[in-house]
Amino acid sequence: MSHNSFGHLFRFTTWGESHGPAIGCVVDGCPPNIDINEAFIQRFLDERKPGTSRFVTQRKEPDAVKILSGVFEGKTTGTPISLMIENTDQRSKDYSEIKTRYRPGHADFTYDAKYGIRDYRGGGRSSARETASRVAAAAVARKVLGDSIKITGGVVQIGTETIDRARADWSTVRDNPFWCPDPVAAKAWEEYLDSIRKDGSSVGAILEVRASGVPAGWGAPVYGKLDADLASAMMSINAAKAVEIGDGMATGGYTGPQNADAIRMKNGAPEFQSNHAGGILGGISNGDDIVVRLAIKPTSSMLTPVPSIDADGHEIDVRTKGRHDPCVGIRGVPVAEAMMALVLADHKLRHRGQVG
Amino acid sequence: MSHNSFGHLFRFTTWGESHGPAIGCVVDGCPPNIDINEAFIQRFLDERKPGTSRFVTQRKEPDAVKILSGVFEGKTTGTPISLMIENTDQRSKDYSEIKTRYRPGHADFTYDAKYGIRDYRGGGRSSARETASRVAAAAVARKVLGDSIKITGGVVQIGTETIDRARADWSTVRDNPFWCPDPVAAKAWEEYLDSIRKDGSSVGAILEVRASGVPAGWGAPVYGKLDADLASAMMSINAAKAVEIGDGMATGGYTGPQNADAIRMKNGAPEFQSNHAGGILGGISNGDDIVVRLAIKPTSSMLTPVPSIDADGHEIDVRTKGRHDPCVGIRGVPVAEAMMALVLADHKLRHRGQVG
Amino acid sequence: MSHNSFGHLFRFTTWGESHGPAIGCVVDGCPPNIDINEAFIQRFLDERKPGTSRFVTQRKEPDAVKILSGVFEGKTTGTPISLMIENTDQRSKDYSEIKTRYRPGHADFTYDAKYGIRDYRGGGRSSARETASRVAAAAVARKVLGDSIKITGGVVQIGTETIDRARADWSTVRDNPFWCPDPVAAKAWEEYLDSIRKDGSSVGAILEVRASGVPAGWGAPVYGKLDADLASAMMSINAAKAVEIGDGMATGGYTGPQNADAIRMKNGAPEFQSNHAGGILGGISNGDDIVVRLAIKPTSSMLTPVPSIDADGHEIDVRTKGRHDPCVGIRGVPVAEAMMALVLADHKLRHRGQVG
Amino acid sequence: MSHNSFGHLFRFTTWGESHGPAIGCVVDGCPPNIDINEAFIQRFLDERKPGTSRFVTQRKEPDAVKILSGVFEGKTTGTPISLMIENTDQRSKDYSEIKTRYRPGHADFTYDAKYGIRDYRGGGRSSARETASRVAAAAVARKVLGDSIKITGGVVQIGTETIDRARADWSTVRDNPFWCPDPVAAKAWEEYLDSIRKDGSSVGAILEVRASGVPAGWGAPVYGKLDADLASAMMSINAAKAVEIGDGMATGGYTGPQNADAIRMKNGAPEFQSNHAGGILGGISNGDDIVVRLAIKPTSSMLTPVPSIDADGHEIDVRTKGRHDPCVGIRGVPVAEAMMALVLADHKLRHRGQVG
């Protein structure tokens, strides 16, 4: 049991605090002879890094990845791949305010309750900064999956603003600062999020990640289910509060006929006529697109003061100043894509191991 | 990596198919010197077993549990506890229809895609019958948790019918056939579900499970998070399509102030003024009630024919006759409670192991 | 972490006490579509079962295995295989003597120190009876390995009596009651062991297990090493006190040239000219025979009284009467073979999962 | 399943190749609030590092450890501890000779057989350099164990030279370059090893590691046995070929009475009158000293040419020049001590988790 690891055959372990010297991960179990280099990994880190638009935190981190092991002359060797990202923006700022004052909605109180100690600087281990390690590990996972599997994530709701599914074009998610597949909605969201930001408030979001090209048969029947692993993976993302597969919560309101995905043959292969199931039946992929959604709560850092307590049990009010994301969900998209890639790579190897 | 196991320090492995000679589980890691006997476990199995009302399947299974190991003179010994339930209702019925015909929404197609073979009788390994093993294992988990932790599950929505939260009284869930905490709604649901049943249709449900008395500090920061483990646990339940912690998907629509849970002191201890977080912050319990919801899709067994294919790739229409649940979600309540108990017992031991 | 499980992709979990209703195991991760039936498994159990000669315990146990799951119409389905052996020789004998009196060399004292409780009847969980479950699981493992891999175990030393390697013919091990590859030594051992038995004494043994046909490349570099897993597997056998790979302890006395295994080509493939390494280099198989030896201490059950204590801390003398093995090492051979098969099957799947 | 990890609750994962930019490890599961700093860890690394006497390799590596995470203001926080050691002695030497020529006894051939690729520089991942990471991780483990547990390792045999047990004084192991507990033997070994070194030969060794102060009750009954985990840990050390617990292989030649460890009471506590068992019964510590021995084969690097093949299947002769250890076993002592500490720390937490 490794609290900070994920996966079985393709397994990674992350380490590092927001304001320590570095963060990183070790990817264990990667097959040998796969082309990989720092530039390829960096591309994904750059998509996640802060400061790319006015709608995300202005913290400046180049997030430059170094490969420390497991790759030789541009190819994986089958030995553990150690990836490190140095922390460069460790301002010598005054953290005394959060040292003993529990920010509501953050993990300050629970870490202290658990460990009796925490690196409080910038959220320490509970900072979303840890997710850079996942994105780096996932770049390797994407190589394991190969080009036939496409993973695309986006934001389908920001606060009260939703997309129009009829307008959704997932190929456009990188054309706007929100990873929004609906270009019209994306335009409207600028104004909406500007107002949230100016108010010093924050807002939640709903993310969707889709994987196409996954063959039928990946997964496992009972506890290593593909959907259970995806649920665990997505819920492990900071601020995630819910995970849906396919139609998700809505299926609770369906009748059987409403929920049924008919199957027909097309070019000699089964084709599902709808995808309420999100590509997974009985914990195993059915060959259709894997569809996962997750809710990211609004960041708890905001100007509105909230009643709280300090480490000595005094009642206080907490107001968070500083460089925060008005909607942390936006930067969650590359992370959710990463978790999809990491789960699928693990299941690819697990399937090959058991079934051949 | 054991595909059919769950948990780390308190770990169980289930085995068995719907129409094999028996099903069961092995519970490994249970602390010694805990009072347990078959009657205590049976009580929970009886809550789950079929045939208790006209709203659930009429299959008759006594589901009598036997303790085969790990308990000596009424106490656990610290060695693995083997629990077995013999299958007694294995009708010699004709399964040739589902042998090669893939029922849409079921795991027939994906099992064949994965393994190239399956025990098709009654759903085999993918049958919800497997969940009896979980309920048995969870009876042991409840003993590990002790009396101070109360776990209560219920149905908060059946198809289009919801409860009125203002009327909810969780102490009444066992007073109606639906585990419904709203007695007025429960009454209305009878008529609604009768009509579904008479139509040979089925309907989804939303379940909620609450655990009170969990101390602050259980869980882990990144991948062994309490909420990630709960998500995995709940998603592993047959027909589950979504998991919410606290306010779940709704938090995606909240602003920061709407989502904030203020903290005040009461009798020298922190008290949360609301529980949007569902009792978990940063993957660690905060001392408030743990609140989880899950969506169970309508069973795919129904009289309406659905286009499908057979194992040879012929297009067919599938209609399912026989003893099925109009709303499988109802019998999911004891299972969801079980998974909550199993996750919490594991985290109790993990916390004790690492932190002392 | 499951204390009673072994393996990763091919993983089994055993349960059961010597005098409980049954013992058994769950084999998880077995590939699908492998022919298996009870008769095949039974063959290996029969080799291990007591009462086959006057040199082993006279306890009568038919050790009849039942397959409870995971096999359908004679083939594995990829789901967990549950195997059960009922205990039939649970004499209602008086165990009060060992209830509170710690037999030196047995696990009575340490189980009590750990758990504060134990099923003392017949050794409970620490009885060698548990190894029947391993032998059953290993029958499945042998099927996973296929016919090209041959596993042969034998006894190469009993007490002070050793074999003459020049006379060793491993095809004869089943021709004598000792699994001895040297027919001349086997003859001499009869008299030797008769005298040990008549004295009410016991004697240790050294076992050797060889696997031929293992391809080069199975194993892993650092902690999942093939030799490390074999060491763990063999040391987990009751009464094992040492494990050697290849020349083992003797290599500590070698010079480099004495230890070197030269390589030449033969029929286009590498051929090792000697096998000091026991078929493993850097944790990975080299294609030569895998050779493992283990020492089994004499059973601590004997007529000679030994100073000990009871559970209340009184000094006592303990003398063990009853049906014991004069040399438990003999019946260890099928178990050591089983562990070799179980480790190799796991590594076969792990190699396939990572490398393809 | 993580090939490069060891342990369950106290778990570490190592990474890095001999001639990459760095090596290191991640320690996961360490309890919080333990004092630790780089200087404490460095002390153990300095004991292992090369160049400390003429009897070990003259490679110069400062082996300076950096703590990158998991420690805040001098205390562990319960989050993963990342330790890194930069490789500074990466000579731009010509490795073309071992690129395609398989050194007998090394892992060159088996790595290629497994992965089809390897970082051949200085042995890559199979280099004993990896063990520096273990020593660093073990420094943390020692802190988890506390001062009451003393771990002492030494060399009890070098090639044909053994110690006289009557003269053994384990407090003197650091007073000679061999970690030899017999000062007289240590003197004689200088001449012996000088001659081996001058011949360009190498020699094996037998190491012994002892842990005192381990309470009775650590371990587990069947597969997570304390001795099985120690066997796996010791066999994972480079060049290890055998592991003994207590009297080890010799017990195969004992009679029951010879093997018996009598127990008497002393000052109200049990006291074993001998320790043939090496402190472990039934996989669980009995309170006496844990005693483990392991054989380290002679390094395969030597001046004597040995027949081998190259990657293209040509027959060649291989002679290894350069800075090698005449007896790699000597530098194995701090590593074997490290593995003892790592296994015990894990079992301490596992015991606490299950039993409390």
Side-chain angles (χ1 to χ4, degrees):
Chain A
M1 187 193 74
S2 191
H3 314 277
N4 294 279
S5 298
F6 192 88
H8 297 271
L9 279 194
F10 187 92
R11 183 174 175 90
F12 67 100
T13 303
T14 74
W15 55 267
E17 280 81 37
S18 174
H19 284 59
I23 62 170
C25 64
V26 183
V27 177
D28 199 3
C30 182
N33 279 302
I34 293 177
D35 291 315
I36 194 98
N37 56 44
E38 291 171 353
F40 178 79
I41 302 172
Q42 193 64 47
R43 202 188 329 157
F44 296 96
L45 283 169
D46 288 348
E47 290 189 344
R48 180 204 158 276
K49 82 175 172 197
T52 52
S53 83
R54 72 180 183 274
F55 304 108
V56 296
T57 177
Q58 296 306 303
R59 180 168 165 159
K60 294 277 180 257
E61 293 273 9
D63 280 358
V65 70
K66 281 185 199 163
I67 299 176
L68 297 179
S69 70
V71 177
F72 183 59
E73 297 180 343
K75 286 183 189 295
T76 59
T77 60
T79 61
I81 301 170
S82 176
L83 303 173
M84 183 173 72
I85 299 164
E86 289 180 61
N87 288 328
T88 56
D89 189 29
Q90 306 152 260
R91 304 191 178 187
S92 57
K93 97 175 203 197
D94 183 10
Y95 285 100
S96 55
E97 188 148 325
I98 60 172
K99 181 175 180 175
T100 55
R101 296 165 62 87
Y102 297 138
R103 294 167 301 161
H106 281 284
D108 305 343
F109 170 69
T110 54
Y111 268 61
D112 257 15
K114 182 171 194 70
Y115 297 118
I117 184 175
R118 74 183 203 280
D119 178 351
Y120 47 79
R121 299 167 304 164
R125 181 72 180 147
S126 72
S127 165
R129 180 137 189 74
E130 183 270 346
T131 60
S133 298
R134 309 181 187 208
V135 170
V140 183
R142 287 171 193 261
K143 284 284 190 177
V144 172
L145 292 173
D147 290 339
S148 57
I149 293 179
K150 304 274 179 220
I151 296 170
T152 311
V155 177
V156 297
Q157 182 180 332
I158 283 194
T160 53
E161 306 296 300
T162 58
I163 64 164
D164 181 339
R165 289 270 167 183
R167 281 192 309 245
D169 175 356
W170 288 86
S171 70
T172 68
V173 291
R174 277 167 177 80
D175 299 341
N176 62 70
F178 308 109
W179 302 84
C180 178
D182 170 357
V184 179
K187 208 69 215 155
W189 291 3
E190 293 196 15
E191 195 176 340
Y192 174 67
L193 214 60
D194 271 334
S195 81
I196 295 288
R197 187 168 52 88
K198 281 169 191 159
D199 290 352
S201 186
S202 62
V203 75
I206 294 178
L207 279 51
E208 184 168 308
V209 188
R210 312 174 70 88
S212 63
V214 177
W218 290 6
V222 181
Y223 299 104
K225 281 179 166 170
L226 182 53
D227 38 3
D229 282 3
L230 284 168
S232 170
M234 298 303 169
M235 199 66 96
S236 76
I237 297 174
N238 309 53
K241 298 304 287 184
V243 182
E244 297 188 314
I245 306 292
D247 286 5
M249 294 303 292
T251 65
Y254 286 173
T255 61
Q258 287 171 327
N259 186 59
D261 293 319
I263 321 177
R264 295 284 81 167
M265 295 299 290
K266 187 175 178 185
N267 303 328
E271 190 188 58
F272 287 87
Q273 307 300 301
S274 57
N275 193 11
H276 303 301
I280 303 175
L281 289 171
I284 300 171
S285 60
N286 66 12
D288 206 343
D289 287 1
I290 309 289
V291 182
V292 180
R293 265 183 311 286
L294 61 156
I296 301 290
K297 70 178 186 182
T299 182
S300 305
S301 299
M302 54 188 171
L303 291 182
T304 311
V306 179
S308 184
I309 57 170
D310 67 15
D312 298 319
H314 302 120
E315 299 190 341
I316 56 173
D317 280 353
V318 172
R319 226 185 89 165
T320 320
K321 288 155 291 186
R323 304 165 296 167
H324 68 78
D325 285 285
C327 175
V328 283
I330 297 170
R331 285 180 57 226
V333 172
V335 180
E337 278 193 0
M339 295 312 294
M340 173 71 89
L342 289 158
V343 169
L344 290 176
D346 187 36
H347 275 279
K348 177 178 181 174
L349 302 192
R350 287 161 64 182
H351 181 74
R352 189 164 73 183
Q354 189 185 7
V355 180
Chain B
M1 189 194 71
S2 190
H3 315 275
N4 294 280
S5 298
F6 193 87
H8 298 272
L9 280 193
F10 187 92
R11 182 174 177 90
F12 68 101
T13 302
T14 74
W15 55 267
E17 280 80 38
S18 175
H19 283 60
I23 61 170
C25 64
V26 182
V27 177
D28 200 3
C30 182
N33 280 304
I34 293 177
D35 292 316
I36 194 97
N37 55 45
E38 291 171 354
F40 178 79
I41 302 171
Q42 194 63 48
R43 200 190 328 159
F44 296 97
L45 283 168
D46 288 347
E47 290 188 344
R48 178 205 159 277
K49 83 173 170 199
T52 52
S53 83
R54 71 176 183 276
F55 304 108
V56 297
T57 176
Q58 295 306 304
R59 180 170 164 156
K60 295 277 179 254
E61 293 272 9
D63 280 358
V65 70
K66 282 184 199 164
I67 299 175
L68 297 179
S69 69
V71 177
F72 183 59
E73 298 179 345
K75 287 182 188 294
T76 60
T77 60
T79 62
I81 302 170
S82 176
L83 304 174
M84 183 172 71
I85 299 163
E86 290 180 59
N87 288 329
T88 56
D89 188 28
Q90 307 152 260
R91 303 192 179 187
S92 57
K93 98 173 201 200
D94 183 11
Y95 285 101
S96 56
E97 188 148 326
I98 58 171
K99 181 174 179 175
T100 56
R101 296 164 63 87
Y102 298 138
R103 295 167 298 162
H106 281 284
D108 305 343
F109 169 69
T110 54
Y111 268 61
D112 257 15
K114 183 172 194 71
Y115 297 118
I117 184 176
R118 73 185 205 280
D119 179 351
Y120 47 79
R121 299 168 303 166
R125 181 71 180 149
S126 72
S127 164
R129 179 135 190 76
E130 183 269 347
T131 59
S133 298
R134 309 181 187 207
V135 169
V140 183
R142 287 170 193 261
K143 283 286 188 174
V144 172
L145 293 172
D147 291 337
S148 57
I149 293 180
K150 303 274 181 221
I151 296 171
T152 311
V155 177
V156 297
Q157 181 181 333
I158 282 194
T160 52
E161 306 297 298
T162 58
I163 63 163
D164 181 339
R165 290 268 168 185
R167 282 192 308 246
D169 174 358
W170 288 86
S171 70
T172 68
V173 290
R174 278 168 178 77
D175 300 343
N176 62 70
F178 307 108
W179 302 85
C180 177
D182 170 357
V184 179
K187 207 69 211 152
W189 291 3
E190 293 196 14
E191 195 176 340
Y192 174 68
L193 214 60
D194 271 334
S195 80
I196 294 288
R197 188 168 52 87
K198 281 168 190 160
D199 290 352
S201 185
S202 62
V203 76
I206 294 178
L207 279 51
E208 184 168 309
V209 188
R210 312 175 69 89
S212 63
V214 177
W218 289 6
V222 181
Y223 300 103
K225 281 179 166 170
L226 182 53
D227 36 5
D229 282 2
L230 284 169
S232 170
M234 297 303 170
M235 200 65 95
S236 77
I237 297 175
N238 309 52
K241 298 304 287 184
V243 183
E244 299 188 312
I245 306 293
D247 287 5
M249 294 304 292
T251 65
Y254 287 174
T255 60
Q258 285 170 329
N259 186 60
D261 293 319
I263 320 176
R264 295 285 79 167
M265 294 300 289
K266 186 174 178 186
N267 302 329
E271 190 188 59
F272 287 86
Q273 307 300 301
S274 57
N275 192 12
H276 303 300
I280 303 175
L281 289 171
I284 300 169
S285 62
N286 67 13
D288 206 343
D289 287 0
I290 309 290
V291 181
V292 179
R293 262 182 315 284
L294 63 155
I296 301 289
K297 70 178 185 184
T299 181
S300 306
S301 301
M302 54 187 170
L303 291 182
T304 310
V306 179
S308 183
I309 56 171
D310 67 15
D312 298 320
H314 301 121
E315 299 192 339
I316 54 173
D317 280 354
V318 172
R319 227 185 89 166
T320 320
K321 289 155 290 187
R323 304 164 298 167
H324 67 77
D325 285 285
C327 176
V328 283
I330 297 169
R331 286 181 55 226
V333 172
V335 181
E337 280 193 358
M339 296 312 295
M340 173 71 89
L342 289 158
V343 169
L344 290 175
D346 187 36
H347 274 280
K348 177 179 180 173
L349 301 192
R350 287 161 63 183
H351 181 75
R352 189 163 75 182
Q354 189 185 7
V355 180
Chain C
M1 189 195 71
S2 190
H3 315 276
N4 294 280
S5 298
F6 192 88
H8 297 271
L9 278 195
F10 186 92
R11 182 174 176 89
F12 67 100
T13 303
T14 74
W15 55 268
E17 280 82 37
S18 175
H19 283 59
I23 62 170
C25 64
V26 182
V27 177
D28 199 4
C30 182
N33 280 302
I34 293 177
D35 291 316
I36 194 99
N37 55 45
E38 291 170 354
F40 178 80
I41 302 171
Q42 193 63 46
R43 201 187 330 157
F44 296 96
L45 284 168
D46 288 347
E47 291 189 344
R48 178 205 159 277
K49 82 175 170 196
T52 53
S53 83
R54 71 178 183 275
F55 304 107
V56 297
T57 177
Q58 296 307 304
R59 178 168 167 159
K60 295 276 180 257
E61 293 272 9
D63 280 359
V65 69
K66 282 184 199 162
I67 299 176
L68 297 179
S69 69
V71 177
F72 182 59
E73 298 180 345
K75 288 182 187 294
T76 60
T77 60
T79 62
I81 301 170
S82 177
L83 303 174
M84 182 171 72
I85 299 163
E86 289 180 60
N87 289 328
T88 55
D89 188 27
Q90 306 153 259
R91 304 191 178 188
S92 58
K93 95 176 204 196
D94 184 10
Y95 285 100
S96 56
E97 188 148 324
I98 59 171
K99 181 174 181 175
T100 55
R101 296 165 62 87
Y102 297 139
R103 294 168 300 162
H106 281 284
D108 305 343
F109 170 69
T110 54
Y111 268 61
D112 258 15
K114 183 171 195 71
Y115 298 118
I117 183 175
R118 73 184 204 281
D119 178 351
Y120 47 79
R121 299 167 305 164
R125 181 72 180 147
S126 72
S127 165
R129 181 136 189 75
E130 183 270 345
T131 60
S133 298
R134 309 181 188 207
V135 170
V140 184
R142 287 170 193 261
K143 284 284 189 176
V144 172
L145 292 173
D147 291 338
S148 57
I149 293 179
K150 303 275 179 220
I151 296 170
T152 311
V155 177
V156 296
Q157 182 181 332
I158 282 195
T160 53
E161 306 297 300
T162 58
I163 64 164
D164 181 339
R165 289 269 167 184
R167 283 192 307 246
D169 175 356
W170 288 86
S171 69
T172 67
V173 292
R174 277 167 177 80
D175 300 340
N176 62 71
F178 308 109
W179 302 83
C180 178
D182 171 356
V184 180
K187 208 69 213 153
W189 292 2
E190 292 196 13
E191 197 177 337
Y192 174 68
L193 214 60
D194 271 333
S195 81
I196 294 288
R197 188 168 52 88
K198 282 168 189 159
D199 290 353
S201 186
S202 62
V203 75
I206 294 179
L207 279 50
E208 184 168 308
V209 189
R210 312 174 69 88
S212 64
V214 177
W218 290 6
V222 181
Y223 299 104
K225 281 180 166 169
L226 181 53
D227 38 3
D229 282 2
L230 284 168
S232 170
M234 298 302 169
M235 199 66 97
S236 77
I237 297 175
N238 309 52
K241 298 304 288 186
V243 183
E244 297 189 313
I245 305 292
D247 287 5
M249 294 304 291
T251 65
Y254 287 173
T255 61
Q258 287 171 327
N259 186 60
D261 293 319
I263 320 177
R264 295 284 80 168
M265 295 299 290
K266 187 176 178 184
N267 303 329
E271 190 188 58
F272 287 86
Q273 306 300 301
S274 58
N275 192 11
H276 303 300
I280 304 175
L281 289 171
I284 300 171
S285 61
N286 66 12
D288 206 344
D289 287 0
I290 309 290
V291 182
V292 179
R293 265 184 311 286
L294 62 155
I296 301 289
K297 70 177 185 184
T299 181
S300 305
S301 300
M302 54 187 171
L303 291 182
T304 310
V306 179
S308 184
I309 57 171
D310 67 14
D312 298 320
H314 302 120
E315 299 191 341
I316 56 174
D317 281 352
V318 171
R319 226 185 89 165
T320 320
K321 289 155 291 186
R323 305 165 295 168
H324 67 76
D325 284 284
C327 175
V328 283
I330 298 169
R331 286 181 56 226
V333 172
V335 181
E337 278 193 359
M339 296 312 294
M340 173 71 88
L342 290 158
V343 169
L344 289 176
D346 187 36
H347 274 280
K348 177 178 181 174
L349 302 192
R350 287 160 63 182
H351 180 75
R352 187 163 75 183
Q354 189 185 8
V355 179
Chain D
M1 190 193 72
S2 190
H3 315 275
N4 294 280
S5 299
F6 192 88
H8 297 271
L9 279 194
F10 187 92
R11 182 175 176 90
F12 68 101
T13 302
T14 74
W15 54 268
E17 280 80 36
S18 175
H19 284 59
I23 61 170
C25 64
V26 182
V27 177
D28 199 4
C30 182
N33 279 304
I34 293 178
D35 292 316
I36 194 96
N37 55 45
E38 291 170 353
F40 178 79
I41 301 172
Q42 193 63 48
R43 202 190 326 157
F44 295 96
L45 283 169
D46 289 348
E47 290 188 344
R48 179 205 159 276
K49 84 173 170 197
T52 53
S53 84
R54 70 178 184 275
F55 304 108
V56 297
T57 177
Q58 296 306 303
R59 181 171 165 156
K60 295 275 180 259
E61 293 272 9
D63 280 358
V65 69
K66 282 184 198 163
I67 299 175
L68 297 180
S69 70
V71 177
F72 184 58
E73 297 179 345
K75 287 182 189 296
T76 59
T77 60
T79 62
I81 302 170
S82 177
L83 303 174
M84 183 172 71
I85 299 164
E86 290 180 59
N87 288 328
T88 56
D89 189 28
Q90 306 152 260
R91 301 190 180 188
S92 57
K93 101 174 198 195
D94 183 10
Y95 285 100
S96 55
E97 187 148 328
I98 58 171
K99 181 175 180 174
T100 56
R101 296 164 63 86
Y102 298 139
R103 295 167 298 162
H106 281 283
D108 304 344
F109 170 69
T110 54
Y111 268 61
D112 258 15
K114 183 173 194 72
Y115 298 119
I117 184 176
R118 73 184 204 279
D119 178 351
Y120 47 79
R121 299 167 303 165
R125 181 70 180 149
S126 73
S127 165
R129 181 138 188 73
E130 183 269 347
T131 60
S133 298
R134 309 181 188 207
V135 169
V140 183
R142 287 171 193 262
K143 283 285 189 175
V144 171
L145 293 172
D147 290 338
S148 58
I149 292 180
K150 304 276 181 220
I151 295 170
T152 311
V155 177
V156 296
Q157 182 181 333
I158 283 195
T160 52
E161 306 296 300
T162 57
I163 64 163
D164 181 340
R165 290 268 167 185
R167 281 192 308 246
D169 175 357
W170 288 87
S171 70
T172 68
V173 291
R174 278 168 177 78
D175 299 342
N176 61 71
F178 307 108
W179 301 84
C180 178
D182 170 357
V184 180
K187 206 70 212 153
W189 291 3
E190 293 196 13
E191 196 176 337
Y192 174 68
L193 215 60
D194 272 334
S195 81
I196 294 288
R197 187 168 54 89
K198 281 168 189 160
D199 289 351
S201 186
S202 63
V203 77
I206 294 178
L207 279 51
E208 183 168 310
V209 188
R210 312 175 68 89
S212 63
V214 176
W218 289 7
V222 182
Y223 300 103
K225 281 179 166 169
L226 182 53
D227 37 4
D229 282 3
L230 284 168
S232 170
M234 296 304 169
M235 199 66 95
S236 77
I237 297 175
N238 309 52
K241 298 303 289 184
V243 182
E244 298 189 313
I245 305 292
D247 287 5
M249 294 304 292
T251 65
Y254 287 174
T255 60
Q258 285 170 328
N259 186 60
D261 293 319
I263 321 177
R264 296 283 79 168
M265 295 299 291
K266 187 175 177 184
N267 303 328
E271 189 188 58
F272 287 85
Q273 307 299 301
S274 58
N275 191 12
H276 303 299
I280 303 175
L281 289 171
I284 300 170
S285 61
N286 67 13
D288 206 342
D289 287 0
I290 309 290
V291 181
V292 180
R293 263 183 314 286
L294 63 155
I296 301 289
K297 70 178 184 183
T299 181
S300 305
S301 301
M302 54 188 170
L303 291 182
T304 310
V306 179
S308 183
I309 56 170
D310 68 14
D312 298 320
H314 301 120
E315 299 192 340
I316 55 172
D317 281 353
V318 172
R319 228 186 89 168
T320 320
K321 289 155 288 185
R323 305 165 297 168
H324 68 79
D325 285 284
C327 176
V328 283
I330 297 170
R331 286 180 56 226
V333 172
V335 181
E337 279 192 359
M339 296 312 295
M340 174 71 90
L342 289 158
V343 169
L344 290 175
D346 187 36
H347 274 279
K348 176 177 181 174
L349 302 193
R350 287 160 64 182
H351 181 75
R352 188 163 75 182
Q354 189 185 9
V355 180

